[in-house]
Amino acid sequence: MTTTVDAHEIAKFEAMAAEWWDPNGKFKPLHMMNPVRLDYITTQIAGEFDRDLTSQRPFEGLRILDIGCGGGLLCEPMARLGADIVGVDAAERNIPVAEAHARQSGLDIDYRFTTAEAMADAGEQFDAVLNMEVVEHVADPLAYLTACRQLLKPGGLHLCSTINRNPKSFAMAIVGAEYVMRWLPKGTHEWSKFITPEELYDLMTRAGMTPVDRKGYVFNPVSWKWSISDRDLSVNYVTAALKPEAA
């Protein structure tokens, strides 16, 4: 079985596993960004599957996969919205952390130590695949995105966020986040592995998906908050793509 797992990248996140749910720890940037991530994810899923987000459990009946689930920061809200959620991570130490927090929260979530490729080989299928801040850490982005497409049911929705590659992203995502603010351990990201929106659209198309949307996540250092932008994709951004019905 082929794998796109990069052992060096996985080791970085294994070392931080216990801190997933500490809003002031090494994953502080994700905790700060999580509200806008969730807003985009829930809006896209609701729109694609005609769900009413004001209802009690709008994602009831939808099977959703979160690849690189970490400690479960996205899995738990998806479960609360009624989804049948599966969270997978190639960093083994993340899984017991996620399972323990889900138990404390009274949530039933299927967490697994595995990879996208292994699940695709097993024939697993999902209505939506969440692929947040993972593609810049894999060894072969095209092979990885192809596995993501295989995991989708025909007409399924793929949501993928990552970091642009330009001087601004180097200044903010690496110098700013790792060296100045010390939000992340030094070496968490490699600028050369960042992917531009055009490159990601091309990769998704070559993997057999149809890109349909992209937005930027923008951090405001004055208000100290993240927001979603239609135009500013200069650093963090998110995309939506569909698997063709006939695929």
Side-chain angles (χ1 to χ4, degrees):
M1 184 193 72
T2 59
T3 179
T4 60
V5 169
D6 184 322
H8 176 65
E9 294 286 334
I10 294 304
K12 297 176 189 175
F13 292 94
E14 289 254 327
M16 298 187 281
E19 296 198 47
W20 272 107
W21 288 96
D22 179 358
N24 296 306
K26 291 186 173 71
F27 294 102
K28 182 177 181 178
L30 273 185
H31 283 272
M32 294 171 65
M33 188 192 284
N34 221 32
V36 296
R37 292 201 308 169
L38 279 168
D39 182 36
Y40 185 83
I41 290 167
T42 55
T43 299
Q44 289 292 320
I45 293 174
E48 186 60 37
F49 297 100
D50 195 24
R51 301 302 176 98
D52 178 6
L53 286 173
T54 63
S55 63
Q56 191 171 8
R57 289 169 62 85
F59 294 169
E60 196 87 59
L62 292 178
R63 190 168 193 241
I64 298 175
L65 173 65
D66 182 18
I67 303 173
C69 63
L73 270 62
L74 290 175
C75 287
E76 293 202 5
M78 291 297 109
R80 289 191 178 93
L81 289 168
D84 174 10
I85 179 81
V86 177
V88 305
D89 207 297
E92 187 172 9
R93 288 178 60 191
N94 287 338
I95 300 304
V97 173
E99 289 174 334
H101 198 275
R103 281 194 300 272
Q104 292 167 5
S105 304
L107 296 170
D108 182 17
I109 298 173
D110 182 356
Y111 285 117
R112 307 181 197 175
F113 165 50
T114 187
T115 65
E117 291 81 10
M119 295 194 73
D121 287 346
E124 299 253 12
Q125 295 263 281
F126 297 87
D127 296 289
V129 170
L130 311 183
N131 182 3
M132 304 287 122
E133 290 86 46
V134 176
V135 70
E136 72 270 24
H137 296 288
V138 302
D140 185 338
L142 178 57
Y144 170 67
L145 290 169
T146 300
C148 292
R149 188 258 302 156
Q150 292 169 339
L151 286 161
L152 286 168
K153 297 176 183 177
L157 176 66
H158 176 256
L159 300 174
C160 178
S161 65
T162 188
I163 306 175
N164 204 338
R165 189 182 67 258
N166 54 37
K168 184 177 178 181
S169 70
F170 182 83
M172 295 186 70
I174 294 182
V175 176
E178 296 182 15
Y179 288 83
V180 179
M181 302 306 297
R182 298 191 178 176
W183 278 342
L184 293 167
K186 294 173 185 177
T188 297
H189 289 110
E190 293 179 35
W191 184 78
S192 63
K193 296 183 79 168
F194 289 173
I195 299 170
T196 70
E198 292 73 24
E199 288 169 345
L200 186 57
Y201 260 30
D202 178 62
L203 284 165
M204 289 191 295
T205 301
R206 288 163 61 196
M209 293 183 278
T210 304
V212 292
D213 187 62
R214 61 187 185 185
K215 296 281 192 297
Y217 294 144
V218 180
F219 181 68
N220 185 326
V222 177
S223 65
W224 213 245
K225 289 184 179 177
W226 290 86
S227 61
I228 294 176
S229 171
D230 289 333
R231 296 180 301 278
D232 187 353
L233 281 69
S234 59
V235 184
N236 297 83
Y237 68 97
V238 61
T239 64
L242 296 173
K243 179 175 179 176
E245 287 283 356

